[in-house]
Amino acid sequence: MINSLFIINSSGDVFMEKHWKSVIHKSICDYFFEEQGKAGSPEDVPPVIATPHHYLLNIYRNQLYFVAVVTTEVPPLFVIEFLHRIFDTFEDYFTECSETTLKEHFVIVYELLDEMLDNGFPLAVESNILKELIRPPNFLRTITDTVTGKNTGVSATLPTGQLSNVPWRRTGVKYTNNEAYFDVIEEIDAIIDKQGNTVIAEVQGYIDCLIKLSGMPDLTLSFINPRLLDDISFHPCVRYKRWESEKVLSFVPPDGNFRLISYHIGANNMVAVPLYIRHNIQYREGSGGRFEVTIGPKQTMGKVVENISLEVPFPKSVLNLTLTPSQGKYTFDPVGKILTWDVGRMDPTKLPSIKGNISLQSGHPIPESNPTINMNFSISQMAISGIKVNRLDMYGEKYKPFKGVKYMTRAGKFQFRT
Amino acid sequence: MTSNSFQLGGTGFGNDKAPSTGSGEGDFTNDPASSGFFSENFKRHEDLKAMLDGNKDNLKLDAMKRIIGMVAKGKDASDLFPAVVKNVVSKNLEVKKLVYVYLTRYAEEQQDLALLSISTFQRALKDPNQLIRASALRVLSSIRVLMISPIMMLAIKEAVMDMSPYVRKTAAHAIPKLYSLDPESKEQLVEVIEKLLGDKTTLVAGSAIQAFEEVCPERIDLIHKNYRKLCNLLVDVEEWGQVVIVGMMTRYARTQFVSPNQEGAGEDGKNFYESEEDEDEKEETEENEDEPKKKPYIMDSDHRLLLRQTKPLLNSRNAAVVMSVAQLYHHCAPKSEVGVVAKALIRLLRGHKEVQYIVLSNIATMTVARRDMFEAYLKSFYIRSSDPTHIKLLKLEILTSLATETNISVILRELQTYVTSTDKEFAAATIQAIGRCASNIAEITDTCLSGLVHLMSNRDESVVAESVVVIKKLLQMQSTGKGRKTTTEHKDIITHMAKMVDEITVPMARASILWLIGEYSERVPKIAPDVLRKMAKSFIDEEDIVKLQILNLAAKMCITNSKQTRLLCQYVFNLAKYDQNYDIRDRSRFLRQLILPAEKGPLAKHAKKILLASKPAPVLQSKFEDRDQYQLGTLSHILNNKTTGYKDLPEWPEEAPDPSVRNVEIPVPEVTTKKSERKKATKDKSFYSESESSSEDEDSDEESDDSDEDEESEEESEEESDDEDESEEEDESEDSDIPQKNNAPPKQSAPKKAPKVEKSESEEEESSSEEESSSEESEEEKPPPKSKASKKKPAKETKAANQNNTDLLLDIDLFGSSNGVTSSGGTQGSILTPSMASAMSNLTISGASSTSSSNFVQPMNIPLKSYDLLNRMTGNGLGITYKFTRTISVFSPKMVSIELTLTNHGESPLSGIKVGKKTLQPGMEIQDFPEIASLGTGASTSVLMAINFNDTTQPAKFEICTLEQTFKVSITAPVGELLQPHTMGLQDFTQQQGKLKGMTENTGKVTLPKEKSDAKSVVTNVLTVANMLQVPSSESDTVYRFAAKTMSEGVLVLVSVSVNEESANIVVNCEKMVIGTMLLKDLKSLLAKS
């Protein structure tokens, strides 16, 4: 399905290529560069590009383009999803997927790519299996490797996981401290209009796990109010039927970090919006303007809102801003025209505010519309939807694991129209 | 870049290879292509060769790493081939792997040398380690050298028979490789594929289908035998395989089933009841058989199976899987069921932007045909300023398609905010979207028009231009659409636009204005000539498109108002005559002949008719309108262009092809000892549920299953090989049974069988002894037929039930092989085994019930109230009453089981009584009763049906049809019947009640009539109202507690009645407030009744 993969950095260098079928010369990427040139920003490059004989499907993440070449009809999402999976795997292996890390570990990268696809069709994608086939680099090993001169990361023993009944879990896991941590993370996506009304507010939730349990544990996670979750996607390890009938998550977990479920609580439910802003943005003739924003708490459920920051993309005609924040720091990027205000924690008794003047480029018409304000924040120890884990049971193993659940709410795409 | 060179050098031996380190840097930098570089290159390769030729593994590894670096960078490293290929025999695993990688990359270019390595792989193919076998096959098949294709073929054929599923999977991958290398081997490969398709392991299934799709997608006949198995395996196949299988299934369904969306195009009642997996559909087909002349559409059970088995995949984390199921539903499901995919698709919109792009494109196409599906999710398509432009445009497209009279105001308000966007392309698209909304929804056209006129004074030129173009289209549409009624209304708009001509510079907008003025010049008789005058002045400076419109305007004016404009017109034509553009010259020549002819020709007379004919309005429609032709989720659909290898989705066949081709041989009864042993085996591999699911419907699987299991449980195999011989003999005898079976009607009882088994699963989980569970089962099996018999069931059905009982007993008593009952006995066995195993894995079985069902307890013996469904007067002699049986429905635990008693009070016998068209609230389902062939005068019969009310008291409306007549009826369940009893301890009860305080609590007080204040009558009364279970309480107080759960969603309902002398306090706690209040009302009224 996937013939070749090219990895391209932000300056347009094809710095890595891998072919699973016959070799396709990298000049094929010229078609991609052409489209890239047309697009205003890297995000605007169309994900699917047709060339006379090939089709290029690309993803853009962390300033890297992964361009897959296919020659025949294929479900495009198949390829795109897979490219993302490759990226995730790299991130998992090297903690960060960037040009530097990929170049640093090019042998591992190449071997991973070789294992993940056979004849362009996915072969071993589960991270547990891959890690058995190819060991991820770590600091200690890097040192010993430098001394001994070995570091392909190919493990000397052959893995068995691929053949086990639980293809996502490696076998023979042993820990001295058996722990299972669950992070319930919820992101609020919202659009708030000029008048402060909520146009749309949704919650996107995830349960990310860090499981360090020996042997083959069989876990059951139940919720106090599972009925909140009506739109879920599961990790393949979750037994769907158990969820359907009993609303409990029953699974044999993969080893290490993974995302157990992600869920979506749609716009039809009421979603609390923790913060409001009052804004006054005006452009005036004569190259000037006024900018004033105050943030206040709305429905914070008595929790402290932390890590608040605002991001305001201004139109090109804005030259600079001179502002005074009541707390935190602000920066204005004069090239990208983006104002960032790091507010930090909110003290409900003293509402954070920022005000000052906008200076406009003379000669340009004044902007017609006010910018949209993007907001970030996080609230720990709370899941905004109210979801709560009831209990975690373990079967199949004798020991008593240490269990922990953490809740966290943060802003997803949280926008104020002004 | 120094850091790179350091790392590369650092990993090597910096001291003796200083030059190589330097050029290693060259590998990873953008090399400056200096001339000196080549010589160094040459040197370096010598150096690498030396390292590879040596006998130190460390050196070899280092060299290989650097070579791989070159390969990765896309540099030519082919001249090292001889040195590298030698190391294929290296003992060092790491070196070996890297050599493999190198080999697959360059073998094609160095065919002769590559052959040197072949023998190594051939040896490795015999290795005892399955992973080595697999990787040898992988590399061997990746060497694209035609000469070795016979060797590859041999290797593949061998690998397909390999014990290890992993090797078989690799073999499946090797097939397309060989096919692309040597297309002539197709015939042999198809045989291999056929073998692989029969494989029962989930690991292999996806890859096998992929090979099938690449090599021989036209051989759909290979799928028939494996169809049901694949459907059942699907949930457990790895995600990428799921995508491929669902894609293939879509095509399969389109060729093998008839369209579910056409009326009356049913399929013949073919004889495939032998497949015992489908409870519900079987009944339908039975109906069908009884009445073959009248053919309402009935979905093939296999079609239903596919839809049902793919539905859970909508919860996959993999966007591609969700999309593939969505397109399957879009193309193959009945209209009413496609809606289920909407939610999952919306969820994908939170994904990466590339995923969003693809999903939105597909949604855009779906909304064209099925607007209602996404209407509820309108807000999910609201645009954020941070979205990339192509996403914004797609969302806009969808919003426009979703616009209706009801939501247009909301959408328009959204669109208004978008117009001011700084992204001009997007703002322009928004204006077009407004135009499309306005043209689709007549009510808002005027609002939109005035809004657009307002936009014409916008500062941004592109916004203005776009508005003008859209206004033009709208005006044109209105005047053609509604006749000339609106003539005067838009005069001011045209006037306004005429004034704008001076300011607007965008050619398209100017052209549009001019066209408008020309077309409607009689509405603005004063202004039009003036505009022409101005235009004539600036003619030479205009763009071509504007010039053409000036000519048009001049010509039209000259016809309508020749007195004022004739000279102007001539002037313009003269100017145009010498224009550089030949289009303009041509146009002016043509118009001049038409308007100002030298001699009166016949054409000139009709000039007015020609130029001022009423023009058809442009149709503003979705850009996605024509994408329908492509299958959703394909590359072709995204590109709106046929891609290489795209095959159109076949149209539904008129007549369904023979469905019996999917039948697989009838199950064989097994010896009990073996069964229990197998159970152990399956229990061990609780996740590896391929055997369970596959054997659910077809039994021949089980034989080959066993061979899969061989690896895991060796002891089993011997015994089973004996069985296999046995079973083959039995197969033959069964084949001869089939016709008999078609006549014998065990179908009525069959559907009940399966859920019963599921019910007992929970018990089996604890005590997995086979005998116990089967006997339990047979016990359970008995009561329903008994009760039915007492109600004068048709003899046929009772007989069937009895027969079934005997079968069961026989099975247990090991009489299974006796001829007459073999098949159904075996049927029983095959149902039993998989469902037990699947209870453990909880992954595969289709029914929704599972362990929780063990909580169900039958309520006290309460007289059942019967309600009138069809009065015998209105029913023309047919009277129907119904009652809620309060048993767990055999069809689904979410359904309320209802017993209908049909009595024929009329003069003539009725025949063909069945359920006709249903009109249901969303979420409700009806399980029909089996068709009643005939009902004699005065006779009466009762049948069971089940309805999922979805926890509402909405009526379920449907039709009861007899051969001659149709009656509309509706069943409303009292809220108490929507519950199922739930066992609970007192402590648990109080705890749960504590959680359901506040809004979810309803309290009420009633005065009890004297004779009804004792404990028994209170309890009886409560239980009469609602299907609940009393919570045992140790206290001897006068508080009675009852617990239940709602049928469909399993929401807890708690009732406590505290009796105090003559009055009683009722407290109802339920998360669903409606249910709580209604239940309270019902309770109050019955308790107070004396």
Side-chain angles (χ1 to χ4, degrees), chain A residues 73 114 152 187 241 246, chain B residues 94 138 350 636 845 851:
Chain A
E73 173 64 49
D114 202 49
T152 57
E187 294 181 350
K241 284 290 166 204
E246 295 166 63
Chain B
E94 296 178 64
R138 251 181 86 188
R350 237 338 270 273
S636 307
I845 51 159
T851 42

Side-chain angles (χ1 to χ4, degrees), chain B residues 480-499:
Chain B
T480 44
K482 296 191 199 163
R484 299 278 156 169
K485 193 176 86 189
T486 49
T487 313
T488 48
E489 285 170 33
H490 300 306
K491 191 181 158 190
D492 46 339
I493 295 179
I494 298 176
T495 323
H496 185 86
M497 289 173 82
K499 281 182 198 150

Side-chain angles (χ1 to χ4, degrees), chain A residues 17 44 60 73 114-115 118 152 159 163 187 189 200 227 231-232 234 239 241 246 369 413 417, chain B residues 72 94 97 130-131 138 177 315 347 350 354 420 634-636 643-644 687 842 845 851 1049:
Chain A
E17 60 179 71
D44 285 346
Y60 178 72
E73 173 64 49
D114 202 49
E115 284 302 332
D118 181 14
T152 57
L163 311 158
E187 294 181 350
D189 290 354
I200 178 175
R227 291 164 38 67
D231 187 10
I232 319 185
F234 298 108
R239 297 178 177 105
K241 284 290 166 204
E246 295 166 63
S369 60
K413 296 173 184 163
R417 290 178 179 160
Chain B
E94 296 178 64
K97 276 202 86 166
Q130 48 184 343
L131 285 150
R138 251 181 86 188
K177 293 187 210 170
N315 290 78
R347 190 184 59 230
R350 237 338 270 273
E354 296 85 5
T420 57
T634 59
L635 199 57
S636 307
T643 55
T644 331
F687 279 94
N842 266 310
I845 51 159
T851 42
E1049 296 192 50

Side-chain angles (χ1 to χ4, degrees), chain A residues 20-21 118-119, chain B residues 104 107 118 121 125 133-145 148-149 151-153 155-156 170-181:
Chain A
W20 286 278
K21 297 183 181 180
D118 181 14
N119 193 33
Chain B
T104 48
I118 302 300
F121 296 121
L125 282 170
R133 289 202 301 276
S135 84
L137 180 61
R138 251 181 86 188
V139 181
L140 181 66
S141 57
S142 300
I143 297 176
R144 286 169 289 271
V145 179
I148 62 160
S149 78
I151 301 177
M152 274 162 78
M153 180 61 88
I156 290 173
T170 321
H173 285 174
I175 291 171
K177 293 187 210 170
L178 177 53
Y179 178 62
S180 68
L181 188 68

Side-chain angles (χ1 to χ4, degrees), chain A residues 235-260:
Chain A
H235 189 276
C237 70
V238 178
R239 297 178 177 105
Y240 178 70
K241 284 290 166 204
R242 274 297 281 288
W243 174 258
E244 275 289 275
S245 58
E246 295 166 63
K247 299 283 174 194
V248 294
L249 294 171
S250 158
F251 56 99
V252 171
D255 187 44
N257 283 306
F258 70 101
R259 174 158 293 172
L260 183 63

Side-chain angles (χ1 to χ4, degrees), chain A residues 1 13-17 19-23 26 43-45 47-48 50 55 58-61 71-78 80-82 84-85 103-104 106-107 110-111 114-115 117-119 121-123 125-126 146 148-152 154-156 158-159 162-163 165-166 168 187 189-191 199-200 202 204 206 227 230-236 238-242 245-246 252 264 268 366 368-369 372 413 415 417, chain B residues 1 4 7-8 10-11 28 30 58 61 65 68-69 71-74 93-94 97-98 101 105 108 129-132 138 144 166 169 173 176-177 210 239-240 243-244 312 315-320 323 343 347 350 352-358 376 379-380 382-386 388-390 414 417-418 420 458-460 633-636 638-639 643-646 684-685 687-688 841-843 845-848 850-851 1049 1051 1071:
Chain A
M1 290 188 142
D13 255 343
V14 183
F15 71 91
M16 191 160 291
E17 60 179 71
H19 308 275
W20 286 278
K21 297 183 181 180
S22 291
V23 178
K26 66 176 158 192
E43 266 93 23
D44 285 346
V45 179
V48 184
Y55 306 98
N58 68 80
I59 62 163
Y60 178 72
R61 277 174 80 179
T71 50
T72 54
E73 173 64 49
V74 60
L77 265 188
F78 186 100
I80 284 172
E81 182 81 19
F82 194 80
H84 281 296
R85 207 58 77 79
K103 280 181 173 173
E104 193 177 320
F106 68 97
V107 176
Y110 221 66
E111 280 172 353
D114 202 49
E115 284 302 332
L117 284 170
D118 181 14
N119 193 33
F121 192 78
L123 184 65
V125 186
E126 283 299 333
T146 325
T148 58
K150 287 185 171 188
N151 82 338
T152 57
V154 175
S155 69
L158 289 159
Q162 186 112 31
L163 311 158
N165 305 336
V166 191
W168 53 85
E187 294 181 350
D189 290 354
I191 302 176
V199 178
I200 178 175
E202 298 178 311
Q204 180 69 34
Y206 313 97
R227 291 164 38 67
D230 71 331
D231 187 10
I232 319 185
S233 64
F234 298 108
H235 189 276
V238 178
R239 297 178 177 105
Y240 178 70
K241 284 290 166 204
R242 274 297 281 288
S245 58
E246 295 166 63
V252 171
H264 177 243
N268 302 333
I366 59 167
E368 306 164 39
S369 60
T372 310
K413 296 173 184 163
Q415 300 195 330
R417 290 178 179 160
Chain B
M1 284 307 146
N4 277 325
Q7 274 137 10
L8 287 176
T11 53
F28 280 89
N30 231 352
N58 276 353
L61 189 59
K65 266 159 50 189
I68 294 303
V71 175
K73 178 76 180 122
L93 206 72
E94 296 178 64
K97 276 202 86 166
L98 295 179
V101 172
R105 169 70 178 78
E108 204 171 2
N129 185 325
Q130 48 184 343
L131 285 150
I132 293 183
R138 251 181 86 188
R144 286 169 289 271
Y166 184 60
K169 186 187 176 74
H173 285 174
K177 293 187 210 170
Q210 175 63 22
E239 359 180 29
W240 312 104
V243 179
V244 177
N315 290 78
S316 172
R317 62 168 173 176
N318 188 320
M323 192 63 233
K343 193 158 56 169
R347 190 184 59 230
R350 237 338 270 273
H352 297 288
K353 68 173 178 71
E354 296 85 5
V355 174
Q356 282 184 42
Y357 173 76
I358 308 282
K379 285 186 171 177
S380 306
Y382 281 5
I383 292 155
R384 293 163 196 284
S385 56
S386 47
T389 309
H390 54 257
E414 258 316 282
T417 58
Y418 303 157
T420 57
N458 195 294
R459 262 169 297 186
D460 190 90
T634 59
L635 199 57
S636 307
I638 294 297
L639 295 168
T643 55
T644 331
Y646 175 78
D684 289 342
K685 16 177 256 170
F687 279 94
Y688 208 53
S841 72
N842 266 310
L843 278 168
I845 51 159
S846 50
S850 114
T851 42
E1049 296 192 50
V1051 180
E1071 204 174 310

Side-chain angles (χ1 to χ4, degrees), chain B residues 177-195:
Chain B
K177 293 187 210 170
L178 177 53
Y179 178 62
S180 68
L181 188 68
D182 178 18
E184 279 169 25
S185 61
K186 180 169 174 179
E187 224 164 279
Q188 291 184 62
L189 285 175
V190 171
E191 279 170 38
V192 178
I193 289 173
E194 192 171 0
K195 222 170 273 167

